[in-house]
Amino acid sequence: LPVLSSWRQRRRVDSVVDSWRYRVTWKPLAGSAEGRLSGRWLLVTGAGAGAGAGAGASVEGVESALLAAGAEVVPLAVDGAGREELADRMRELNAGGGLAGVVSLLATDAEPHAEPHAGGSLLPAGVAATLTLLHALADSGVRAKLWSVTSGAVSVGRADRLVSPWQAQVWGLGRVAALELPDVWGGLVDLPPVVDERVGRRLVAVLGGGEDQVAVRSSGAYGRRFVHAPQSVGRVDGWAPSGTVLVTGGLGALGASVARWLAGRGVPHLVLTGRRGVETPGAGELVAELTALGARVTVVACDVADRDAVASLLAGIPAELPLSGVVHTAGVVDDGVLDAQSAERFAAVFAGKVGGLLHLDELTAGLDLDLFVVFSSLAGTLGSAGQGNYAAANAFLDAWIQRRRDRGLAGLSIAWGAWA
């Protein structure tokens, strides 16, 4: 009877958790692949947008599609243009008849942002330029809708590989722009590298349609959907804990919750990191609690944004308890509406979230890990006003983990909602 009672209680809890579980999928969009455009359309490009092999959808292909649909295309190169300068240029272009729409290929530039501030190398130039373009559009008073084009930032199915997690950051940013700047935000479109006539016609149909998050492929157009996804198989009950599990941010509220769960599951050795290490308030109490659950606990002061520090951390894991899992919960927030955001604020958030993931991914290459889990956020999945930088960082986490799974490696990204 006690066993049966425990089983029923576990099933009851599982049922509640399953009701909270969702995933992203892509639905083929029915209807005509034809469309017409009218008026003047601004085609925005930057130094690295759509240029070079594999960089993204070609500028020429997109321009040809707009022209074939009846639009008057007005090119605008924004190489290095600041917010005020770009707003002035857009006011000039909007004079005398106005602009009907704006298509930007800035997001396809995945090269690092040029500014040397901390974490700058993790911020793609295309993300920074898209933020500046949003600022300029809002400042200029132009009410033409902005459509941001990416290439390879999403995957619509197993045969369609995600190739550019860096561009996926713009998808996180765009979902926040849709909430904060509905007067100027149009949507997100992911295109293949080659924009032929068929892809071009589908692009035009999206620009004139009712969907705002679409992947266009040679096989058709696909709309992004958020669907209920109860977990019916592959539960953790079959997992046999062993060795060491590393929890970044393990001394924070979220990391401590994970550490308790891992210790309760029987993980022999836990390594918990935080910037202040054992000096973190409550660290001693947490270690005592986890030790009482049967785990050996090591607390290390480590900034996961520092690659050398992460390498030293991993080198210190005892050989008799080899690394078997990683849970990356570390991160910082710097919330603020997009109008007040900057490349520097984006980079500061990216340092721990994005940089930490990349260092852990690289430095554990070749290890047969049971777990590689990252804590993402619903802000990156659905958007959250005031969290444009955080949403972009977490959209990258989701995309990078998808690439790990495509390579046959352990990987799980959990986009948490509000923990309260």
Side-chain angles (χ1 to χ4, degrees):
L1 286 177
V3 171
L4 179 60
S5 176
S6 175
W7 177 81
R8 287 177 59 85
Q9 175 62 22
R10 189 167 65 249
R11 288 294 298 271
R12 192 175 297 117
V13 171
D14 287 347
S15 177
V16 173
V17 174
D18 276 354
S19 73
W20 298 341
R21 192 169 181 269
Y22 290 78
R23 64 183 175 87
V24 171
T25 187
W26 295 84
K27 176 184 177 182
L29 300 177
S32 173
E34 300 290 339
R36 297 296 299 171
L37 300 176
S38 61
R40 303 168 71 230
W41 282 72
L42 200 60
L43 181 59
V44 185
T45 60
S58 68
V59 175
E60 294 80 6
V62 173
E63 182 176 14
S64 295
L66 299 179
L67 290 170
E72 177 189 347
V73 178
V74 180
L76 174 62
V78 298
D79 301 351
R83 178 173 180 168
E84 293 183 4
E85 177 189 351
L86 190 53
D88 289 340
R89 291 168 67 182
M90 298 192 76
R91 289 188 192 97
E92 294 173 3
L93 292 169
N94 193 52
L99 297 169
V102 181
V103 176
S104 167
L105 274 77
L106 295 175
T108 61
D109 185 358
E111 290 298 311
H113 184 47
E115 294 299 323
H117 48 69
S121 63
L122 301 173
L123 175 64
V127 176
T130 300
L131 177 64
T132 301
L133 179 59
L134 278 167
H135 286 160
L137 263 173
D139 293 348
S140 68
V142 176
R143 286 298 175 260
K145 299 284 188 176
L146 168 63
W147 290 86
S148 186
V149 172
T150 60
S151 184
V154 302
S155 165
V156 300
R158 290 184 180 180
D160 181 51
R161 292 296 178 93
L162 189 156
V163 297
S164 183
W166 300 101
Q167 292 184 52
Q169 295 177 1
V170 175
W171 281 69
L173 169 60
R175 292 174 196 126
V176 175
L179 299 174
E180 292 189 29
L181 302 169
D183 288 341
V184 300
W185 185 254
L188 295 149
V189 188
D190 193 77
L191 300 178
V194 177
V195 181
D196 57 20
E197 289 187 15
R198 179 163 47 180
V199 170
R201 289 195 298 269
R202 292 192 174 113
L203 167 62
V204 169
V206 171
L207 298 179
E211 298 277 345
D212 68 345
Q213 296 181 52
V214 181
V216 176
R217 302 290 184 261
S218 58
S219 59
Y222 300 83
R224 188 172 180 270
R225 297 291 185 267
F226 196 57
V227 298
H228 189 214
Q231 180 173 281
S232 57
V233 295
R235 295 190 180 279
V236 76
D237 298 309
W239 175 49
S242 64
T244 297
V245 174
L246 166 66
V247 183
T248 70
L251 301 172
L254 305 186
S257 292
V258 172
R260 294 185 186 98
W261 183 87
L262 290 167
R265 299 291 307 181
V267 173
H269 182 214
L270 292 171
V271 175
L272 311 180
T273 73
R275 293 188 179 186
R276 299 173 61 185
V278 294
E279 301 299 322
T280 304
E285 292 84 348
L286 177 61
V287 170
E289 182 182 353
L290 299 175
T291 301
L293 290 171
R296 172 180 165 184
V297 184
T298 301
V299 174
V300 181
C302 177
D303 180 0
V304 294
D306 183 338
R307 185 189 182 281
D308 291 340
V310 176
S312 178
L313 167 71
L314 295 175
I317 291 175
E320 69 273 16
L321 291 167
L323 188 69
S324 64
V326 171
V327 184
H328 180 40
T329 78
V332 298
V333 295
D334 185 9
D335 293 349
V337 294
L338 289 174
D339 183 64
Q341 285 286 354
S342 64
E344 290 78 10
R345 293 180 69 177
F346 267 64
V349 170
F350 284 14
K353 270 284 184 184
V354 174
L357 167 61
L358 293 176
H359 297 151
L360 291 165
D361 180 270
E362 176 192 352
L363 294 169
T364 61
L367 299 182
D368 186 18
L369 299 179
D370 295 333
L371 307 174
F372 194 101
V373 181
V374 299
F375 276 25
S376 179
S377 170
L378 206 62
T381 306
L382 295 181
S384 177
Q387 292 193 304
N389 49 6
Y390 194 62
N394 283 292
F396 176 87
L397 262 60
D398 298 339
W400 192 268
I401 291 299
Q402 184 169 344
R403 285 196 71 195
R404 274 188 64 95
R405 295 172 70 93
D406 287 345
R407 304 198 318 263
L409 301 175
L412 178 66
S413 185
I414 308 175
W416 294 99
W419 272 65

